[in-house]
């Protein structure tokens, strides 16, 4: 996300719980000729979010693109402790609400050119038998997106939600490998078998959109 925004000419703030990881991304952006600043930020900490947006307002006065990419798989099954439940809600739901709501006025200042996006999951659309709690939290994001889009429409603020399937990120092994000793390859294969078209890289189509089998 940061690399793409920077490639489009944005002065990008890479905010991450890990300062080292944020700096690593800013270095990639700089190497590609873009501009970025690393910020250590806990997206569940409301005072820290306020300070972050105050910094952007001081330095730029406006925010054109705000993307919320915060999440955790949480515990699987239905036997979930209250502590684990609250943590999942904080990370997956509370962060999304406050990241967007506290940054809204800055995006509004983009005068019809502002966009808020957030990442949910296919688990928000069709559910997950492995982690109902994860589906609950990600489903909240899709509902929040619809509501925020209604709020933002009159102000010229677009609000959209991305619901991807499995993506190779550091969180993926945690999501599929909750059980000690779980075989990642088998788990991924089982998941992909549920997708009618299989993996995206294996789907080739002709000019009319018809699937073409690999030779």
């Amino acid at each position: 996300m940061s690399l793409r925004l920077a490639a489009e000419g944005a002065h990008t703030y890479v905010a991450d719980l890990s300062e080292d990881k944020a700096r690593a991304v800013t270095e990639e952006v700089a190497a590609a000729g873009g501009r970025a600043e690393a910020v250590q930020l806990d997206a569940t900490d409301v005072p820290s979010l306020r300070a972050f947006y105050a910094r952007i307002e001081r330095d730029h006065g406006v925010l054109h693109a705000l993307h919320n990419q915060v999440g955790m798989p949480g515990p699987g099954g239905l036997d979930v402790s209250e502590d684990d439940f609250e943590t999942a809600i904080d990370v997956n739901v509370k962060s999304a609400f406050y990241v967007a709501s506290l940054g809204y006025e800055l995006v509004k200042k983009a005068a019809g050119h502002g966009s808020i996006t957030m990442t949910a999951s296919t688990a928000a659309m069709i559910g997950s038998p492995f982690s109902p709690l994860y589906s609950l939290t990600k489903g909240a994001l899709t509902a929040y997106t619809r509501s925020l889009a209604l709020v933002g429409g009159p102000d010229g603020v677009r609000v959209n939600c991305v619901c991807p399937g499995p993506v190779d990120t550091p969180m993926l092994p945690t999501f599929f490998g909750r059980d000690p000793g779980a075989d990642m390859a088998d788990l991924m294969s089982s998941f992909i078998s549920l997708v009618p078209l299989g993996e995206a890289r294996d789907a080739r189509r002709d000019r009319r959109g018809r699937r073409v089998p690999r030779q």
Side-chain angles (χ1 to χ4, degrees):
M1 295 291 184
S2 299
L3 288 168
R4 178 58 183 268
L5 288 170
E8 295 287 340
H11 183 106
T12 305
Y13 285 84
V14 184
D16 196 283
L17 186 61
S18 167
E19 185 174 5
D20 289 342
K21 291 180 179 179
R23 290 189 181 281
V25 174
T26 59
E27 290 171 3
E28 288 187 59
V29 170
R35 296 169 298 162
E37 296 182 41
V39 179
Q40 192 283 323
L41 181 66
D42 180 348
T44 68
D45 186 331
V46 173
S48 294
L49 284 171
R50 292 186 189 278
F52 174 55
Y53 288 128
R55 170 181 172 179
I56 295 175
E57 183 171 26
R58 181 191 69 236
D59 294 346
H60 301 281
V62 64
L63 184 60
H64 291 88
L66 170 59
H67 179 67
N68 178 70
Q69 181 80 26
V70 180
M72 64 177 293
L78 296 175
D79 186 11
V80 178
S81 70
E82 287 190 58
D83 286 344
D84 285 344
F85 178 87
E86 291 173 0
T87 298
I89 293 295
D90 280 351
V91 174
N92 291 352
V93 181
K94 178 185 176 181
S95 66
F97 180 83
Y98 284 106
V99 164
S101 63
L102 295 179
Y104 183 83
E105 290 300 319
L106 272 177
V107 178
K108 181 179 174 180
K109 290 182 178 180
H113 298 283
S115 172
I116 297 175
T117 55
M118 54 191 77
T119 297
S121 167
T122 50
M125 310 298 291
I126 60 174
S128 167
F130 306 108
S131 181
L133 176 57
Y134 181 74
S135 291
L136 168 68
T137 59
K138 289 302 182 178
L141 264 63
T142 60
Y144 181 42
T145 297
R146 295 186 182 98
S147 297
L148 198 58
L150 295 175
V151 173
D155 294 328
V157 175
R158 292 176 292 110
V159 187
N160 291 278
C161 185
V162 182
C163 294
V167 179
D168 189 8
T169 70
M171 191 182 89
L172 190 62
T174 307
F175 186 85
F176 282 104
R178 289 187 179 92
D179 299 326
D183 189 312
M184 274 292 296
D186 285 345
L187 290 170
M188 281 296 296
S189 178
S190 296
F191 184 90
I192 293 170
S193 69
L194 301 176
V195 180
L197 291 179
E199 293 181 86
R201 65 171 178 268
D202 289 332
R204 299 177 60 235
R205 297 180 179 276
D206 63 17
R207 292 182 180 179
R208 295 184 180 179
R210 296 174 300 190
R211 182 163 181 162
V212 178
R214 288 187 175 275
Q215 302 297 322

